Amino acid sequence: MVASEATPFIKTGGLADVVGALPAALKARGEDVAVVLPLYRDARVDGARRVAEKLDVWLGLAHYSVNVQMAVERDVPYFFVECPSLYDRKGVYVDAAGDFPDNHIRFAVLAKAALASARHVFRPQILHCHDWQAALAPVYLRTALAGDPTFLGVKTLLTIHNLGYQGIFAPSALPEIGLDPALLTIDRLEFLGDLSVLKGGIVYSDAISTVSKGYAREIQTPEYGFRMDGLLRARSSVLTGILNGVDYSAWNPETDVHLAAHYSLDDLRGKKACKLDLLRQFGLPDEAAGRPLIGIVSRFARQKGFDLIEQAASGLLDEDASLVALGTGEPRYEEMFRNLAAAYPGKVAVRIAYDNPLAHKIEAGADIFVMPSRYEPCGLNQIYSLRYGTVPVVRATGGLDDTIDEDTGFKFSEYSSQALLASLRDALAAWRDRRRWETLMRNGMRKNFSWNASAAEYSALYRRLLA
């Protein structure tokens, strides 16, 4: 596998959770799997050893000498591409000024270094690439390296975790990443006059997958296709949706080290202690334990439906409910939550941060978890919520629609604040019926979205590719 992030080494989003868990699940099924990542300054890599030195990476006339370090996590070797001029900086993709202007070069070197590692360190049958940051690997493999006997028979799979991020660069970037300008055509890498790295991966990969069956359907439509829906329809015969799994060794209320008390399907009593602990973590009054508590853990972005939260907030908070939110993101939504906390003291609290222990406390202590996403390729928090007996309220899109039904939560289809508010009010009414609510909680806690099932689907896809 080739990717730009993976837990526990470096994480900015859900991609890291997948690349940190899927390889181990595949390994448990008997697959021989390794992962290639950049060695960022902030990557937490302990006990790594150098396995390759001074590998030559050429991008046209530009030369990069890279080393490769290896660390083993859950029996899986992770290879880290060491290139200080590209990765030894603060931030993964962006800094305070925005996207790094040399991101096309940074991830071109990752792709080339992954191919060099495949030549010298780990010989794969399949190159499984994740998102645009790894999408140049199949492009190089099928163009510049098309006649290289090292890679004869090697198949490529591109997993799209979020089509909204496409690796768009000016046409002048093409020679800077060592590709022939002749590739800048509508049937190859050209996209609306620019270069799209993700499009290159879609065109040149042997197979494509997304992180839920619903999202695989949605990205073939104009509404969700980000103007690539035609290309994806043309490649629909090799497009598969495989739902992400979750790591229940980390997300389990029976064993979670971050919780004030443990609880289970058979004994829910500890959830009350978790709720009280969560209220105190956010500085909300203990008496709020007697009313429904709504939780949010998210990147604060328009994609996640925070414009609907903004429009519905006054109507929601006029109800007898409390709200806690954790996340970072677009300044307007960070400010929105701060303003809500100031306007509704004792009912609303926000933490502008990335805080994994607190995220676990929200999953356990909240009664309701809300995800009103404009689109959601898979989503993990709604699956965590099910296991923690925290009833999800979600918009019926992508993986949210695939994982939540009327027996486990509440869904709305129309992207509007009115639809969100109506669904939340249905949930609040259900919360007051304790027998019905406990049935919803237990139904969700019985669901199993472990990585075992997802890994089995990937194994089957790999074998179809090799056949």
Side-chain angles (χ1 to χ4, degrees), residues 57-64 112 140 174-180:
V57 172
W58 290 92
L59 300 181
L61 297 177
H63 174 259
Y64 297 85
K112 281 285 188 80
Y140 290 130
L174 204 64
E176 294 176 353
I177 57 176
L179 288 174
D180 189 336

Side-chain angles (χ1 to χ4, degrees), residues 99 104 131-136 158 160-169 189-192 194-202 215 219 222 224-229 231-232 375:
D99 290 348
H104 57 302
D131 269 351
W132 79 261
Q133 292 90 351
L136 282 171
L158 173 68
I160 300 171
H161 295 258
N162 190 331
L163 189 64
Y165 299 93
Q166 300 179 343
I168 303 292
F169 300 95
L189 275 69
E190 185 270 335
F191 183 69
L192 305 177
D194 285 322
L195 158 69
S196 169
V197 173
L198 182 66
K199 180 178 178 180
I202 293 171
Y215 194 57
I219 61 175
Y224 297 101
F226 287 92
R227 304 183 77 169
M228 287 192 180
D229 52 292
L231 172 61
L232 289 161
Y375 69 94

Side-chain angles (χ1 to χ4, degrees), residues 1-64:
M1 293 191 188
V2 189
S4 57
E5 55 183 270
T7 57
F9 308 108
I10 192 79
K11 173 177 174 173
T12 70
L15 168 64
D17 292 316
V18 175
V19 185
L22 175 58
L26 290 166
K27 184 81 172 182
R29 294 184 57 81
E31 305 287 5
D32 191 12
V33 57
V35 184
V36 180
L37 302 165
L39 183 60
Y40 303 108
R41 176 187 297 176
D42 294 332
R44 295 185 293 274
V45 181
D46 298 319
R49 62 182 179 89
R50 189 167 288 178
V51 294
E53 291 189 341
K54 298 181 179 178
L55 294 181
D56 292 319
V57 172
W58 290 92
L59 300 181
L61 297 177
H63 174 259
Y64 297 85

Side-chain angles (χ1 to χ4, degrees), residues 214-282:
Y215 194 57
R217 293 189 299 270
E218 287 179 351
I219 61 175
Q220 297 180 63
T221 68
E223 183 178 2
Y224 297 101
F226 287 92
R227 304 183 77 169
M228 287 192 180
D229 52 292
L231 172 61
L232 289 161
R233 288 194 299 272
R235 301 230 63 201
S236 61
S237 63
V238 297
L239 174 59
T240 305
I242 300 176
L243 185 71
N244 283 343
V246 300
D247 184 357
Y248 287 127
S249 68
W251 295 91
N252 183 348
E254 297 180 50
T255 57
D256 193 328
V257 298
H258 303 298
L259 305 190
H262 292 141
Y263 59 96
S264 68
L265 178 65
D266 298 321
D267 184 358
L268 295 172
R269 286 175 296 178
K271 191 166 175 64
K272 293 181 179 179
C274 292
K275 183 175 184 178
L276 188 59
D277 176 58
L278 178 60
L279 291 168
R280 291 171 176 173
Q281 292 284 329
F282 275 93

Side-chain angles (χ1 to χ4, degrees), residues 69 81 103 124 136 142 146 160-161 180 189 220 241 263 272 276 278 295 304 346 355 364 382 388 423 425 455 464:
Q69 297 188 30
V81 178
N103 271 345
L136 282 171
R142 302 300 179 225
I160 300 171
H161 295 258
D180 189 336
L189 275 69
Q220 297 180 63
Y263 59 96
K272 293 181 179 179
L276 188 59
L278 178 60
K304 300 296 185 177
D355 187 328
Q382 85 280 9
Y388 283 73
S423 196
R425 284 173 171 158
R464 291 198 301 273

Side-chain angles (χ1 to χ4, degrees), residues 412-423:
F412 63 100
S413 296
E414 179 184 292
Y415 190 79
S416 70
S417 58
Q418 294 87 351
L420 166 61
L421 192 54
S423 196

Side-chain angles (χ1 to χ4, degrees), residues 377-412:
C378 175
L380 294 175
N381 281 100
Q382 85 280 9
I383 303 177
Y384 300 153
S385 297
L386 292 174
R387 180 51 60 99
Y388 283 73
T390 299
V391 176
V393 174
V394 304
R395 182 161 176 264
T397 182
L400 301 178
D401 199 18
D402 288 351
T403 52
I404 306 302
D405 57 37
E406 62 183 10
D407 294 326
T408 58
F410 298 84
K411 290 194 290 193
F412 63 100

